[in-house]
């Protein structure tokens, strides 16, 4: 394996099939369809969480659509400032660096409390303290290798969600521990963006923050549809969710792999320090992006049977899986 730098991210590879998502249309075609319904359509893209994000809205007036997008991106940047590991100045990065964060950002508190609740519900299969495992595996992969048993044991000793202290006035981590919220932050961002758009009165919207959310309809009046990527050929659509509304998230072994066969990747089983071997990808649809994102990550670790049991306990959620080839 060629040595390369691995970034701490969890890139969703859900795609829009054909004219499924507004972003798949040319800007002129999108606006023409919107005008036919008496709407002004706008799409705005940018970089966030180490990837490209895109927000599409249709509104009665162009100024209304533009103002909604501006506020939606402001909400997205607030989530980044709280919990993105791509920003050295984020609240989460400062917590990992210093081991304590006083007067924590309310968004970080909300994310971390959800993460710890999900950790408790899943018996630790979802664990936000696996960041040291990421560092260990990324450094080993950069040397064309895998961590040895001793290094793995030492790192696992610094993983354990129950040792995180969370309070309104401060968050504290034991020495050597680090947090990642990459398994939920993009879904949370989709929630925050969609909430802004809804408050602005935007009835038709499609958001891609690395996870997906949709409300209303496509500019031509038909329901939104969402394509799910094939984990072995991510440029190919394996399945289409139609109609699509609400939120969807995918976890897979292909976004960032530490071995050519994808046996070792960016999702870790906190019990072993290694990647789960049963599934290539899990897609969860849910009433919120945060829930979809967290459940998809947990189900990758739990495996299909236990993952389905977990998802079934949450009303309005459904799960689609692709087994390892």
């Amino acid at each position: 394996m060629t040595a390369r730098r691995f970034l701490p991210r969890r890139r969703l590879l859900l795609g829009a099939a054909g004219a499924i998502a507004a972003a798949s249309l040319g800007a002129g075609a999108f606006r023409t369809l919107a005008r036919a319904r008496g709407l002004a359509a706008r799409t705005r893209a940018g970089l966030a969480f180490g990837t490209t994000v895109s927000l599409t809205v249709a509104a009665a007036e162009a100024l209304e659509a533009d103002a909604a997008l501006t506020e939606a991106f402001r909400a997205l940047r607030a989530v980044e400032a709280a919990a993105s590991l791509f920003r050295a100045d984020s609240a989460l990065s400062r917590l990992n660096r210093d081991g304590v964060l006083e007067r924590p950002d309310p968004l970080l508190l909300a994310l971390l409390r959800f993460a710890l609740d999900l950790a408790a519900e899943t018996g630790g299969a979802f664990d936000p303290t696996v960041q040291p495992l990421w560092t260990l595996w990324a450094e080993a992969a950069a040397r064309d290798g895998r961590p040895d048993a001793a290094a793995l044991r030492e790192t696992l000793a610094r993983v354990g969600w129950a040792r995180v202290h969370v309070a309104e006035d401060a968050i504290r981590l034991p020495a050597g521990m680090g947090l990642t919220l990459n398994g939920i932050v993009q879904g949370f961002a989709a929630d925050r963006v969609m909430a802004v758009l809804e408050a602005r009165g935007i009835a038709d919207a499609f958001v891609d923050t690395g996870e997906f959310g949709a409300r209303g309809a496509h500019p031509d009046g038909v329901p939104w549809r969402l394509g799910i990527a094939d984990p072995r050929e991510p440029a190919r659509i394996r399945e289409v969710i139609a109609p699509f509304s609400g939120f969807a998230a995918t976890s897979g072994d292909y976004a960032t792999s530490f071995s050519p066969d994808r046996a070792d990747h960016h999702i870790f089983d906190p019990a072993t320090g290694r990647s789960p071997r049963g599934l290539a990808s899990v897609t969860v649809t849910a009433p919120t992006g945060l829930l979809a994102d967290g459940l998809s990550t947990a189900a990758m670790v739990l495996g299909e049977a236990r993952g389905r049991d977990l998802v079934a306990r949450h009303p309005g959620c459904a799960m689609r899986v692709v087994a390892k080839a």
Side-chain angles (χ1 to χ4, degrees), residues 30-268:
F30 180 76
R31 289 175 183 174
T32 298
L33 289 167
R35 282 197 298 271
R37 296 175 61 206
L39 299 174
R42 291 289 186 270
T43 295
R44 190 176 299 179
L47 295 176
F49 311 111
T51 190
T52 302
V53 301
S54 177
L55 312 180
T56 295
V57 303
E61 301 290 341
L63 287 177
E64 180 185 356
D66 289 337
L69 286 171
T70 296
E71 189 172 342
F73 262 92
R74 190 177 298 121
L76 191 150
R77 298 304 179 204
V79 176
E80 275 197 302
S84 174
L85 289 179
F86 281 85
R87 288 185 50 168
D89 64 341
S90 75
L92 181 60
S93 293
R94 288 184 282 117
L95 172 61
N96 282 346
R97 183 172 59 249
D98 301 336
V100 61
L101 183 68
E102 296 182 349
R103 297 181 298 279
D105 187 311
L107 296 180
L108 179 59
L109 275 175
L111 276 162
L112 187 51
R113 283 173 170 153
F114 175 89
L116 295 177
D117 285 347
L118 186 57
E121 182 183 2
T122 60
F126 182 95
D127 191 328
T129 68
V130 295
Q131 183 61 17
L133 287 168
W134 167 271
T135 303
L136 176 71
W137 279 92
E139 290 177 351
R143 299 190 299 270
D144 295 332
R146 288 181 168 91
D148 61 37
L152 198 57
R153 284 194 302 272
E154 188 278 330
T155 303
L156 279 171
R158 295 185 281 123
V159 173
W161 63 272
R163 288 180 281 160
V164 179
H165 173 80
V166 181
E168 292 290 332
D169 63 334
I171 303 170
R172 291 182 172 82
L173 304 177
M177 186 174 281
L179 293 175
T180 174
L181 296 171
N182 285 355
I184 55 175
V185 69
Q186 289 170 298
F188 182 67
D191 288 336
R192 301 288 294 183
V193 165
M194 197 63 84
V196 165
L197 298 179
E198 184 175 3
R200 280 275 182 170
I202 300 297
D204 302 307
F206 189 98
V207 306
D208 170 4
T209 61
E211 315 296 7
F212 288 81
R215 68 190 315 260
H218 192 277
D220 61 7
V222 302
W224 294 107
R225 302 166 65 210
L226 185 70
I228 302 175
D230 186 326
R232 293 300 169 259
E233 296 181 58
R236 186 176 76 86
I237 299 300
R238 180 185 179 94
E239 182 181 354
V240 175
I241 301 173
F244 171 60
S245 64
F247 297 87
T250 291
S251 296
D253 64 5
Y254 54 97
T256 302
S257 296
F258 297 127
S259 60
D261 62 0
R262 301 183 181 88
D264 306 310
H265 51 85
H266 65 297
I267 298 172
F268 304 106

